[in-house]
């Protein structure tokens, strides 16, 4: 979440009673009633996960939040359990600062288990106050990483003054704490000399054992800072790092907002992948990807463009989307990317329903990898289905297809007022090997890869899997996800 959101948050507090906040280490504060469901798994039904959740949104229903009220998540797997840490945010209710914690065995059912802090961390708060600012009453965009037996939780704390922000570190010997403040990693000041905004951290340990933090929001791109492996703090105190990704504000040419970086290493391709949030939370918030041989970059996009140059990059693998008969999902960026211990990567983010985009629902999706090593994202959330291969004779039928084709055009900054949902269009895969009754458009299948050769010159190479149709609450259907020959992401789901 970038600093421009501060003023939006204050406005929403008045309009919606939505305040950034949370509470302390897992003990229930006095105003919270005891949870009615002591063991949520006893009554869990996947069909009970809804787009909106007004009946359980209030703070006295906090232990029913599950996948709800999740914003800017960071997820780690420890043992057989996933732990999710997220921004202090809730729909229509006041919450205390502290970073919310949830846990899950399957990435579908989530249990709210408490908070990292009881209040704003003292060191981050003191820094902002010492520079003449007032800390925002909530922590943003946490990052969790395990180093040996130590869990390191990085938090973002912004202020009433633009660019006056801090990234701090707390540590624990368990994913549930208790947590101890260790220090401040990087700060930014309310002056013209600031490079970027000190929020939105992402940590990675490279193959040589060096530790790196990617961070930054809005003003001047994404920065890379080397971290001391022993302390988890900056290797050179006071150093702001170097910029590795950039868009830039250029009047009415492009929007320019860039934030929420996430970095992983995929040993299958020997590449580091940089996932970046583009545009505003309430408009066209989307995810772009670059890759590099080194965490120090340079990172290149699908077309060989350095993401540190003034341009927009491809592929865009996730963006506001809308299947037929549904209000759509927006705000689907600032992701966390993580692995299950067996080589399967996932991407998680908040989803904000088009019917009321102040609701926040946790989405977890599988990441697949093209044969030349680009990440692609499933069009539907995970649902715990058995992974049964899809046979060729199951492919024919009717689908909804989404082409994630939004690109910036001159003057676009003046139109940044809507989510620009990428809406579905009909797709028919015929048993005779053609598409949409066009003899010049054909398909072929070499499981799990489906190739669509279109008569207009485009070629889509799509990963085929089984998945849940969440919009229609259909238990199992067939899903496609992939890229075409110009790096545009393609989704589809079978509907008959």
């Amino acid at each position: 979440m970038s600093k421009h959101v501060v003023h939006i948050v204050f406005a929403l507090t008045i309009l919606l009673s939505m305040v950034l906040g949370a509470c302390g280490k897992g003990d229930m504060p006095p105003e919270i009633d005891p949870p009615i469901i002591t063991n949520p798994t006893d009554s869990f039904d996947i069909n009970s996960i809804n787009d909106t959740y007004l009946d359980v949104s209030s703070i006295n229903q906090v232990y029913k939040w599950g996948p709800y009220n999740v914003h800017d998540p960071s997820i780690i797997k420890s043992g057989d359990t996933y732990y999710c840490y997220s921004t202090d945010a809730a729909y229509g209710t006041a919450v205390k600062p502290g970073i919310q914690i949830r846990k899950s065995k399957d990435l579908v059912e989530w249990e709210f288990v408490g908070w990292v802090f009881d209040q704003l961390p003292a060191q981050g708060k003191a820094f902002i106050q010492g520079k003449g600012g007032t800390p925002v009453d909530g922590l943003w965009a946490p990052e969790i990483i395990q180093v040996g037996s130590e869990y390191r939780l990085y938090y973002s704390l912004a202020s009433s003054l633009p660019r006056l922000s801090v990234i701090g570190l707390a540590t624990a010997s368990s994913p549930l704490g208790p947590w101890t403040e260790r220090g401040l990693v990087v700060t930014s000041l309310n002056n013209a000399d600031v490079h970027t905004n000190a929020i939105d951290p992402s940590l990675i340990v490279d193959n040589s054992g060096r530790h790196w933090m990617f961070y930054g929001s809005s003003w001047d791109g994404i920065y890379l800072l080397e971290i001391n492996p022993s302390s988890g703090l900056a290797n050179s105190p006071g150093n702001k790092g170097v910029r590795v990704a950039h868009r830039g504000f250029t009047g009415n040419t492009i929007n320019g907002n860039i934030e929420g970086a996430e970095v992983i290493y995929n040993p299958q391709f020997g590449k580091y992948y940089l996932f970046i949030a583009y545009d505003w939370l309430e408009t066209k918030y989307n995810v772009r990807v670059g890759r590099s041989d080194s965490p120090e970059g340079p990172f290149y996009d699908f077309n060989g463009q350095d993401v540190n140059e003034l341009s927009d990059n491809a592929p865009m693998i996730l963006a506001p989307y809308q299947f037929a008969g549904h209000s759509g999902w927006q705000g689907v960026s600032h992701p966390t990317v993580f692995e299950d211990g067996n080589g399967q990567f996932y991407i998680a983010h908040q989803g904000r329903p088009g019917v009321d985009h102040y609701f926040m629902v946790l989405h977890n999706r599988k990441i697949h990898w093209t044969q030349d090593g680009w990440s692609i994202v499933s069009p539907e959330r995970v649902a715990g289905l058995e992974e049964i291969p899809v046979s060729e004779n199951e492919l024919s039928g009717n689908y909804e297809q989404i082409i994630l084709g939004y690109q910036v055009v001159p003057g676009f900054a003046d139109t940044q007022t809507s989510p620009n949902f990428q809406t579905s269009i009909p797709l028919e895969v015929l048993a005779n090997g053609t598409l949409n009754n066009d003899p010049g458009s054909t398909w072929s299948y070499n499981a799990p890869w489906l190739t669509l050769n279109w008569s207009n010159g485009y070629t889509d190479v799509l990963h085929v899997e089984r998945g849940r149709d969440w919009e229609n609450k259909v238990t199992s259907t067939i899903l496609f996800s992939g890229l075409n020959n110009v790096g545009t992401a393609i989704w589809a789901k079978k509907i008959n």
Side-chain angles (χ1 to χ4, degrees):
M1 181 186 291
S2 65
K3 276 289 280 100
H4 65 265
V5 179
V6 172
H7 304 294
I8 296 173
V9 169
F10 290 155
L12 294 182
T13 302
I14 297 172
L15 297 174
L16 298 169
S17 299
M18 179 180 171
V19 181
L20 292 179
C23 289
K25 299 173 184 173
D27 51 321
M28 291 179 291
E31 71 270 31
I32 298 179
D33 296 332
I36 296 173
I37 302 176
T38 56
N39 185 358
T41 58
D42 290 344
S43 59
F44 177 73
D45 175 8
I46 195 170
N47 288 314
S48 68
I49 299 178
N50 300 310
D51 300 348
T52 61
Y53 49 89
L54 188 61
D55 57 329
V56 297
S57 63
S58 67
I59 190 67
N60 63 351
Q61 297 287 317
V62 66
Y63 284 92
K64 292 184 181 180
W65 284 3
Y68 303 137
N69 285 336
V70 175
H71 184 72
D72 294 344
S74 179
I75 295 177
I76 192 173
K77 189 177 186 184
S78 179
D80 64 352
T81 303
Y82 296 94
Y83 294 88
C84 175
Y85 307 80
S86 61
T87 290
D88 298 331
Y91 179 92
T93 191
V95 287
K96 293 182 180 179
I99 299 293
Q100 301 171 16
I101 309 176
R102 293 163 174 81
K103 67 179 183 178
S104 174
K105 297 287 188 181
D106 59 6
L107 299 176
V108 181
E109 177 193 1
W110 289 89
E111 179 186 355
F112 188 98
V113 293
W115 300 266
V116 172
F117 300 107
D118 291 311
Q119 56 189 342
L120 289 179
Q123 295 180 25
K125 180 179 178 180
F127 175 85
I128 287 175
Q129 290 175 331
K131 299 298 181 181
T134 300
V136 171
D137 193 26
L139 300 173
W140 294 350
E143 168 76 348
I144 186 70
I145 184 173
Q146 184 178 359
V147 178
S149 60
E150 183 175 76
Y151 294 86
R152 296 177 177 177
L153 191 286
Y154 294 83
Y155 66 85
S156 307
L157 179 59
S159 77
S160 58
L161 298 177
R163 310 187 191 190
L164 177 56
S165 303
V166 60
I167 294 174
L169 169 63
T171 63
S173 59
S174 161
L176 297 178
W179 300 87
T180 302
E181 279 193 84
R182 175 164 291 172
L184 304 184
V185 185
V186 64
T187 62
S188 56
L189 300 176
N190 180 36
N191 61 47
D193 295 330
V194 68
H195 292 294
T196 191
N197 203 10
I199 62 173
D200 295 359
S202 177
L203 276 291
I204 189 170
V205 179
D206 71 17
N207 289 330
S208 68
R210 295 172 74 182
H211 292 222
W212 304 95
M213 185 175 75
F214 294 76
Y215 77 99
S217 176
S218 294
W219 281 272
D220 190 31
I222 306 302
Y223 275 68
L224 173 68
L225 177 65
E226 187 163 9
I227 297 297
N228 184 289
S230 298
S231 68
L233 303 176
N235 205 38
S236 300
N239 184 18
K240 305 296 184 182
V242 296
R243 197 184 67 198
V244 294
H246 179 54
R247 287 180 77 193
F249 291 93
T250 56
N252 64 354
T253 303
I254 63 174
N255 168 278
N257 191 60
I258 181 174
E259 61 185 33
E262 176 76 318
V263 182
I264 63 162
Y265 176 74
N266 186 339
Q268 179 182 355
F269 301 102
K271 299 284 187 181
Y272 294 87
Y273 291 81
L274 176 65
F275 300 79
I276 308 174
Y278 268 40
D279 301 319
W280 306 139
L281 169 65
E282 293 189 36
T283 58
K284 299 165 178 63
Y285 215 34
N286 60 87
V287 179
R288 311 293 176 111
V289 183
R291 67 185 186 183
S292 174
D293 295 328
S294 165
E296 298 182 78
F299 289 86
Y300 295 102
D301 74 357
F302 183 87
N303 298 309
Q305 181 78 29
D306 187 339
V307 302
N308 201 22
E309 296 179 2
L310 185 58
S311 66
D312 273 19
N313 302 110
M316 180 177 72
I317 61 170
L318 191 59
Y321 66 96
Q322 185 178 52
F323 284 111
H326 189 265
S327 71
W329 291 101
Q330 63 189 88
V332 292
S333 193
H334 194 142
T336 179
V337 180
F338 56 98
E339 191 249 341
D340 67 355
N342 296 307
Q344 176 63 60
F345 285 90
Y346 295 88
I347 187 168
H349 54 89
Q350 68 275 340
R352 292 174 172 253
V355 67
D356 185 340
H357 66 265
Y358 297 116
F359 285 106
M360 298 156 276
V361 182
L362 178 61
H363 287 203
N364 283 281
R365 305 168 188 272
K366 283 185 177 181
I367 291 179
H368 303 293
W369 302 88
T370 65
Q371 291 159 307
D372 57 351
W374 286 102
S375 57
I376 53 179
V377 177
S378 175
E380 293 282 358
R381 289 169 273 171
V382 297
L385 299 182
E386 184 180 357
E387 297 184 12
I388 302 174
V390 177
S391 64
E392 183 170 330
N393 61 13
E394 295 178 86
L395 293 178
S396 60
N398 294 307
Y399 293 77
E400 290 183 55
Q401 181 187 43
I402 291 180
I403 302 172
L404 298 178
Y406 148 61
Q407 294 293 333
V408 172
V409 296
F412 188 75
D414 296 331
T415 65
Q416 282 284 79
T417 58
S418 75
N420 189 34
F421 286 117
Q422 306 299 287
T423 57
S424 64
I425 57 176
L427 167 67
E428 187 176 7
V429 177
L430 287 88
N432 65 5
T434 64
L435 302 166
N436 293 343
N437 287 307
D438 174 9
S441 297
T442 61
W443 63 272
S444 60
Y445 186 52
N446 182 14
W449 296 101
L450 172 69
T451 301
L452 309 183
N453 290 299
W454 295 96
S455 57
N456 60 7
Y458 287 104
T459 300
D460 308 338
V461 181
L462 310 176
H463 183 272
V464 179
E465 63 180 325
R466 298 186 194 277
R468 176 180 170 84
D469 181 346
W470 281 88
E471 289 76 19
N472 296 308
K473 296 188 182 298
V474 174
T475 301
S476 180
T477 189
I478 295 174
L479 308 175
F480 302 159
S481 58
L483 301 176
N484 67 15
N485 52 309
V486 296
T488 301
I490 309 293
W491 288 353
K493 69 176 180 181
K494 195 173 187 180
I495 57 173
N496 56 338

